[in-house]
Amino acid sequence: MATNYSGLCIGVTGLNANDNPGPGVAVIRALKAGFGSNIRVIGLSYESLEPGIYMRDLVDKTYQIPYPTAGTVALKERLAYIHDQENLNVIIPNFDAELHNFIKIAAELNNIGIKTFLPSLEQLRRRDKSNLFEFGQKNGLEVPADQKLYSVTDLQKAADELGFPLVIKGKFYDAHVAYNMESALKAFHQLETVWGYPVIAQQHIKGIEINVAALGDGEGNNVSIVPMRKLYITEKGKAWAGVTIEDEALMSLANKFAEATNWKGSYELEIIRDTDDKLFILEINPRFPAWIYLAVAAGQNQPAALVKMALGEIIAASVKYETGKMFIRHSWDEVVDIADFQKMSAFGEL
Amino acid sequence: MKIKKNIATSENGFIFNPATGDSFSANAMASAILLAIKSGASAIEIKQDILQKYEVNAEQLDRDWEDWIIQLKEANLLEFESNNGN
């Protein structure tokens, strides 16, 4: 199927479609649904075992890119090389931890012809886990009380003040519900080792888990909002099944967030509705969620809209979507030749 | 008594509340009553219809009806609380 977008070359990160899935594969599926199969998708991976690398019907070629800790110079050099090979039109970064670097080099990428549609560093900072409570207070949004933890003493203080159960969260990813000091300590040490400081202790709110996928235009509006109720949640807290729902309060919440931040790009609100129907924002992820293809199936292709906006098109806000659309995630054994894995590992390209 | 207008019901008894994402399975009698309520029948009309069609006395029907209403309220499916004893 040829479209006006045929030949468009889009780089996508987050190909780790594992039990803590990155959004990349779902984003690519959305792009193919939106633009047809004649676009070229370039996977940008960090590790050789990211499943999306080997999904050849979705990803045309994958290049390994340096870890965020390598800094912006290394990332810029690698992307320049990839651009020389592929002539990238747009890049969609899908990891929280890499966004900082991508935002910093966005202007330089634009100069060489690679478009992005990303929030500013200030927007990114304001919704950061460690600033979320203050952000909520300032903007009239309900956020569970939290404390930043830099030491075991901080954890003890948080436990005394917030009580158990406590949600212990990593700076970028992972969260554990701790019901006593022993499990809180274990989670604290585990998370600070993987993600560094601060670890965050958040008040535990009991209720129904809802996520909202949305796309901000950078001028205080959302061009798309799709809420999803989690129906099956894994031990890691990931939605493994969910259904689209409609609720004006959720739409208002997303609009309030976009207005308060002038958010530019994709984002996800992680919400708990407590027994009094109060909506608490647990986290705001600055990227598409891994379940974003559900929004496409419900009638709103947010990744395709983001690409169009990155290319300078004006996208009208879309409010219609189908409720009662479900996703049920599953695992699938992708069978590949060891030679492919070897190529990816040795040369960083496949 | 009214079922919330956005509640989706099917003839085979599946009920979906799009505001919360909750879903329920109703038996044949419950789904027939739900469809009747959605089509605008009053509680009195529905009860009369049941009394005519089934071997049940009015007292038993009233008790079962009250249980049914409680379940609908718990499931957050009613538009507003009944104030006429229905």
Side-chain angles (χ1 to χ4, degrees), chain B residues 1-81:
Chain B
M1 180 186 65
K2 276 187 183 168
I3 300 291
K4 285 181 177 171
K5 62 177 179 230
N6 58 350
I7 302 293
T9 53
S10 70
E11 285 182 3
N12 60 11
F14 184 76
I15 305 163
F16 175 64
N17 183 346
T20 61
D22 288 323
S23 59
F24 309 90
S25 290
N27 62 21
M29 174 62 87
S31 63
I33 297 172
L34 271 177
L35 287 174
I37 294 171
K38 282 200 88 175
S39 66
S42 71
I44 292 168
E45 288 168 336
I46 296 168
K47 283 186 193 176
Q48 278 172 349
D49 187 49
I50 293 170
L51 287 169
Q52 281 172 9
K53 284 183 183 166
Y54 300 94
E55 285 184 19
V56 59
N57 64 50
E59 293 75 26
Q60 181 63 50
L61 176 59
D62 279 338
R63 281 198 297 275
D64 289 350
W65 186 268
E66 288 307 317
D67 283 347
W68 157 249
I69 297 300
I70 289 168
Q71 285 186 47
L72 289 180
K73 282 180 186 167
E74 283 176 353
N76 200 22
L77 297 174
L78 291 183
E79 188 74 73
F80 54 81
E81 288 195 9

Side-chain angles (χ1 to χ4, degrees), chain A residues 229 243-246 273 323-324, chain B residues 6 16-22:
Chain A
R229 154 97 184 262
V243 62
T244 52
I245 57 173
E246 64 175 14
R273 171 179 275 135
T323 57
Chain B
N6 58 350
F16 175 64
N17 183 346
T20 61
D22 288 323

Side-chain angles (χ1 to χ4, degrees), chain A residues 335-350:
Chain A
V335 177
V336 299
D337 198 285
I338 189 77
D340 286 347
F341 172 69
Q342 186 195 2
K343 262 190 221 165
M344 191 68 212
S345 304
F347 304 114
E349 293 182 23
L350 183 66

Side-chain angles (χ1 to χ4, degrees), chain A residues 139-350:
Chain A
N139 294 288
L141 302 168
E142 296 281 356
V143 175
D146 64 18
Q147 293 194 14
K148 299 179 192 80
L149 312 177
Y150 295 90
S151 66
V152 173
T153 313
D154 290 343
L155 176 60
Q156 275 159 347
K157 183 171 162 281
D160 290 342
E161 291 176 12
L162 301 175
F164 285 107
L166 262 183
V167 186
I168 310 295
K169 297 177 146 185
K171 188 178 173 185
F172 291 114
Y173 294 103
D174 289 351
H176 300 274
V177 180
Y179 291 89
N180 52 44
M181 198 59 195
E182 192 185 353
S183 57
L185 268 171
K186 190 178 165 194
F188 170 75
H189 288 305
Q190 196 178 327
L191 292 170
E192 61 94 357
T193 304
V194 178
W195 299 113
Y197 293 115
V199 175
I200 293 126
Q202 191 178 60
Q203 179 193 6
H204 182 260
I205 307 283
K206 207 174 167 187
I208 292 169
E209 292 192 38
I210 297 164
N211 289 357
V212 176
L215 182 56
D217 67 359
E219 292 171 11
N221 312 298
N222 286 305
V223 299
S224 170
I225 308 170
V226 178
M228 177 274 292
R229 154 97 184 262
K230 291 184 185 181
L231 293 179
Y232 185 100
I233 301 169
T234 67
E235 281 182 11
K236 288 189 174 177
K238 305 298 163 192
W240 214 250
V243 62
T244 52
I245 57 173
E246 64 175 14
D247 185 335
E248 201 43 53
L250 293 167
M251 308 311 248
S252 300
L253 194 61
N255 284 329
K256 214 169 174 180
F257 171 75
E259 198 180 335
T261 57
N262 287 336
W263 190 264
K264 185 180 174 189
S266 54
Y267 68 95
E268 177 193 33
L269 301 177
E270 291 190 14
I271 294 163
I272 290 262
R273 171 179 275 135
D274 76 358
T275 45
D276 297 325
D277 252 5
K278 207 186 265 186
L279 298 172
F280 286 87
I281 299 179
L282 301 185
E283 271 181 34
I284 301 169
N285 297 317
R287 51 162 171 80
F288 289 120
W291 56 271
I292 193 61
Y293 191 76
L294 179 69
V296 181
Q300 298 211 5
N301 195 328
Q302 294 182 6
L306 179 138
V307 166
K308 291 177 184 176
M309 290 160 88
L311 293 171
E313 290 185 38
I314 307 290
I315 300 293
S318 173
V319 290
K320 276 192 183 169
Y321 64 91
E322 200 178 330
T323 57
K325 208 69 169 171
M326 277 181 72
F327 79 91
I328 302 161
R329 193 167 285 160
H330 64 99
S331 53
W332 175 266
D333 297 344
E334 202 71 39
V335 177
V336 299
D337 198 285
I338 189 77
D340 286 347
F341 172 69
Q342 186 195 2
K343 262 190 221 165
M344 191 68 212
S345 304
F347 304 114
E349 293 182 23
L350 183 66

Side-chain angles (χ1 to χ4, degrees), chain A residues 21-230:
Chain A
V25 169
V27 167
I28 294 166
R29 203 176 162 200
L31 296 175
K32 297 264 184 182
F35 297 128
S37 53
N38 290 334
I39 58 167
R40 183 163 170 81
V41 174
I42 302 302
L44 304 170
S45 71
Y46 292 98
E47 294 181 356
S48 303
L49 279 177
E50 293 180 24
I53 299 168
Y54 305 97
M55 296 178 184
R56 307 309 291 270
D57 52 335
L58 290 176
V59 182
D60 294 288
K61 178 150 186 179
T62 300
Y63 294 83
Q64 199 159 0
I65 57 172
Y67 279 108
T69 46
T72 52
V73 174
L75 179 64
K76 218 164 42 187
E77 281 173 5
R78 182 63 173 157
L79 291 177
Y81 166 78
I82 297 167
H83 188 48
D84 279 346
Q85 312 299 311
E86 303 292 347
N87 196 19
L88 289 160
N89 299 108
V90 178
I91 291 182
I92 307 177
N94 287 303
F95 281 125
D96 303 29
E98 71 188 1
L99 270 184
H100 192 266
N101 284 351
F102 272 98
I103 292 168
K104 278 179 102 169
I105 64 168
E108 288 163 271
L109 291 178
N110 186 50
N111 288 342
I112 58 170
I114 304 174
K115 309 290 182 189
T116 55
F117 199 74
L118 297 170
S120 67
L121 285 176
E122 173 57 18
Q123 287 169 341
L124 191 69
R125 189 196 63 77
R126 287 176 72 190
R127 46 53 53 200
D128 190 272
K129 281 183 198 184
S130 52
N131 300 323
L132 188 61
F133 184 69
E134 290 79 6
F135 174 77
Q137 285 204 313
K138 198 175 167 191
N139 294 288
L141 302 168
E142 296 281 356
V143 175
D146 64 18
Q147 293 194 14
K148 299 179 192 80
L149 312 177
Y150 295 90
S151 66
V152 173
T153 313
D154 290 343
L155 176 60
Q156 275 159 347
K157 183 171 162 281
D160 290 342
E161 291 176 12
L162 301 175
F164 285 107
L166 262 183
V167 186
I168 310 295
K169 297 177 146 185
K171 188 178 173 185
F172 291 114
Y173 294 103
D174 289 351
H176 300 274
V177 180
Y179 291 89
N180 52 44
M181 198 59 195
E182 192 185 353
S183 57
L185 268 171
K186 190 178 165 194
F188 170 75
H189 288 305
Q190 196 178 327
L191 292 170
E192 61 94 357
T193 304
V194 178
W195 299 113
Y197 293 115
V199 175
I200 293 126
Q202 191 178 60
Q203 179 193 6
H204 182 260
I205 307 283
K206 207 174 167 187
I208 292 169
E209 292 192 38
I210 297 164
N211 289 357
V212 176
L215 182 56
D217 67 359
E219 292 171 11
N221 312 298
N222 286 305
V223 299
S224 170
I225 308 170
V226 178
M228 177 274 292
R229 154 97 184 262
K230 291 184 185 181

